Amino acid sequence: MARTPRERHEPIDLQRAEVVLAGTQELLPVLRVAAVRAGVDAARMRVVGVDDLPDPSERAEAELAVIAIRRPGDDPAFHRAHEAADLIAPLLTPHAVRIVITVSGATRLVPKLERTLTSEVLHQIGAASAPSGFRRPFRTMRLRLGLAALQAAGVRVFRISIGH
């Protein structure tokens, strides 16, 4: 069910938005490259390793968090990503958009897969910041095929909401 317009996030301007990138160490360089390719200003980007907890007294006003977790074997990566989202919550605004990416342990993120992943994350950002549930961006055939390719490669993309 779509949230009401006053509860929805304002459109995110990636060139001006504060962004937090969190994830396992081997996925952080991929996240950073994808964020720069998507138009995020590198000076407004904060990179946090999932194992490196941010200082609890530190505060920020990031509007977007992208969390990437590699799932080795039967490890519940979504739960680890949810915990990471809780840990970086002090760095985010209350209604920040949180996007979680889980990557299979066997998956290698080649450049073409990275570009497809960037397109899907941008689609999720657009869907989260659409003015209403009825005006969400349409997923084109190319985006649908890209999402199917990501899922076949063992990559899952979620948009989660924590708190308010």
Side-chain angles (χ1 to χ4, degrees):
M1 184 169 173
R3 294 183 285 177
T4 61
R6 63 195 136 106
E7 291 177 346
R8 293 191 70 86
H9 195 284
E10 294 297 318
I12 298 174
D13 180 5
L14 292 177
Q15 294 178 347
R16 293 192 186 103
E18 297 286 330
V19 177
V20 174
L21 304 176
T24 51
Q25 292 300 325
E26 71 273 7
L27 294 176
L28 285 175
V30 173
L31 273 181
R32 190 177 296 126
V33 168
V36 170
R37 186 179 297 138
V40 175
D41 182 11
R44 297 179 181 271
M45 191 183 323
R46 172 93 191 264
V47 181
V48 178
V50 170
D51 301 323
D52 308 327
L53 302 178
D55 183 13
S57 63
E58 193 174 3
R59 296 279 180 237
E61 294 296 318
E63 299 175 51
L64 173 66
V66 180
I67 303 163
I69 303 290
R70 185 168 294 278
R71 31 177 223 273
D74 294 332
D75 184 28
F78 186 75
H79 296 294
R80 286 184 59 209
H82 201 6
E83 290 171 1
D86 282 339
L87 292 173
I88 63 171
L91 303 176
L92 305 174
T93 61
H95 291 290
V97 175
R98 295 164 181 91
I99 297 173
V100 174
I101 302 163
T102 62
V103 180
S104 170
T107 301
R108 237 184 86 231
L109 290 177
V110 294
K112 187 168 186 167
L113 201 58
E114 288 177 22
R115 286 191 297 274
T116 306
L117 181 58
T118 301
S119 296
E120 178 59 25
V121 169
L122 288 173
H123 176 78
Q124 291 293 334
I125 292 168
S129 59
S132 75
F134 296 110
R135 296 191 184 216
R136 291 194 331 220
F138 180 73
R139 191 183 295 272
T140 63
M141 183 59 80
R142 174 178 262 180
L143 278 175
R144 289 175 193 205
L145 291 173
L147 181 61
L150 286 173
Q151 290 175 345
V155 178
R156 304 288 185 265
V157 181
F158 305 94
R159 188 177 60 237
I160 61 174
S161 177
I162 299 174
H164 300 60

